[in-house]
Amino acid sequence: FNTLECVIGSSGSGKTHYIKKKLADLRANKKITADEITIDVYEDFKVSKFISNFRRVLHEVQLQRQDATEEVKQSRIDLAVYFDISPYCPFDIVSEFFENFIYWGIFYDNDNGDMDY
């Protein structure tokens, strides 16, 4: 990944507003090639749900590129992912998810063995 930004603050401090503005700027400047993926990391967070959303977005981008030139078809897909993390999420699962993502560049689901990168 290119950039990782952690936004921390108390409730009502403008975190979501800041992130949505940042995402809008990325879209306006064509720094991302698809809509962002928003993942709500709440009590019921499952890695499999993230992998499913990730694959869906990649598939949608590939479908949009079907009529494009070969160069565009082969170009990198740049995504923005917004993780809205609740203080009540299962931190053991979330910390392992981010460790795999940040250090190894993979998404791995311990429950079913599914993996993507």
Side-chain angles (χ1 to χ4, degrees):
F1 54 89
N2 253 357
T3 304
L4 176 65
E5 185 172 347
C6 183
V7 179
I8 300 171
S10 60
S11 180
S13 64
K15 299 179 302 290
T16 299
H17 175 74
Y18 169 80
I19 292 166
K20 288 186 178 191
K21 182 176 179 345
K22 186 106 174 177
L23 292 170
D25 291 346
L26 288 171
R27 277 192 305 279
N29 294 323
K30 303 203 184 303
K31 300 268 180 161
I32 55 176
T33 54
D35 287 339
E36 71 276 354
I37 301 172
T38 299
I39 301 295
D40 296 320
V41 184
Y42 298 147
E43 297 88 346
D44 62 344
F45 175 75
K46 300 282 185 210
V47 176
S48 59
K49 186 176 173 183
F50 173 81
I51 291 173
S52 175
N53 284 338
F54 177 74
R55 288 177 176 161
R56 178 187 50 78
V57 170
L58 289 181
H59 180 71
E60 288 172 3
V61 171
Q62 290 167 341
L63 287 176
Q64 292 170 359
R65 291 181 170 193
Q66 279 182 336
D67 296 329
T69 65
E70 197 59 37
E71 181 181 342
V72 170
K73 286 181 186 178
Q74 299 301 321
S75 65
R76 186 173 83 177
I77 297 173
D78 294 316
L79 297 174
V81 181
Y82 167 29
F83 293 97
D84 185 5
I85 302 175
S86 163
Y88 304 106
C89 72
F91 280 103
D92 56 332
I93 295 171
V94 173
S95 64
E96 186 172 343
F97 170 82
F98 280 109
E99 179 181 343
N100 286 330
F101 177 45
I102 293 168
Y103 289 117
W104 311 113
I106 63 170
F107 310 115
Y108 179 71
D109 186 352
N110 280 335
D111 290 340
N112 64 17
D114 200 9
M115 184 171 70
D116 213 323
Y117 56 94

